[in-house]
Amino acid sequence: MSGFFNLGRLVTKAVKSIPRSKKVSPDIKSVKPTKLSVKESLKKTRGDEYIKRIRKLDEGRKKVSEGKKMMKEGQKIRKKMKDTGKAFQFKTGKSYHAIEPGEAKKYRIKEGIAGGD
């Protein structure tokens, strides 16, 4: 049991013997002190953060709606090209490929799908 007590003293001695820096960090000058009370300052800060989050959410929502519009337009263009015979799909894939004029017979295209016998 006495071994445990000595261990504690050794650890304390080792921690105290480690040199520490005596430097003091400078005051923060980039953030000016507030003229509001602490309670009002916290309320203002929370309000500012809340507004920032609302704006960010609106920005994301706008991008999603634009993305959906862009996707619909892109799908419409691909479908139109497939229907007019300017592009095709392989049976197993989802990607569309352009057809060189006069090469449609090479791919045996049936209903816009290559290899569709």
Side-chain angles (χ1 to χ4, degrees):
M1 279 278 208
S2 64
F4 288 115
F5 295 117
N6 290 339
L7 181 65
R9 285 185 194 155
L10 287 173
V11 170
T12 309
K13 203 173 203 179
V15 168
K16 286 184 179 180
S17 69
I18 297 172
R20 296 187 189 117
S21 70
K22 303 286 182 184
K23 294 179 184 175
V24 177
S25 58
D27 293 339
I28 300 171
K29 293 186 176 138
S30 61
V31 180
K32 303 293 181 201
T34 181
K35 293 177 182 166
L36 302 171
S37 69
V38 175
K39 203 172 195 178
E40 289 172 335
S41 176
L42 288 173
K43 190 174 183 180
K44 183 183 179 302
T45 305
R46 284 190 186 121
D48 291 347
E49 181 64 25
Y50 182 60
I51 289 169
K52 190 192 296 185
R53 290 178 183 182
I54 288 172
R55 288 186 181 140
K56 190 98 170 166
L57 192 62
D58 286 343
E59 185 181 315
R61 198 175 291 138
K62 194 182 295 181
K63 283 185 179 183
V64 167
S65 67
E66 286 175 10
K68 285 180 182 175
K69 283 181 195 171
M70 298 295 277
M71 279 184 60
K72 282 184 182 179
E73 289 174 15
Q75 288 170 348
K76 199 180 285 186
I77 290 169
R78 289 193 311 187
K79 188 175 184 324
K80 188 175 180 182
M81 287 183 72
K82 183 175 135 184
D83 291 344
T84 57
K86 295 179 183 178
F88 72 95
Q89 277 182 296
F90 285 111
K91 215 182 223 182
T92 57
K94 291 185 177 183
S95 61
Y96 287 78
H97 306 276
I99 299 174
E100 202 171 315
E103 297 288 318
K105 292 178 183 156
K106 178 179 171 183
Y107 297 104
R108 297 186 323 209
I109 296 171
K110 183 177 179 184
E111 297 176 17
I113 298 174
D117 293 325

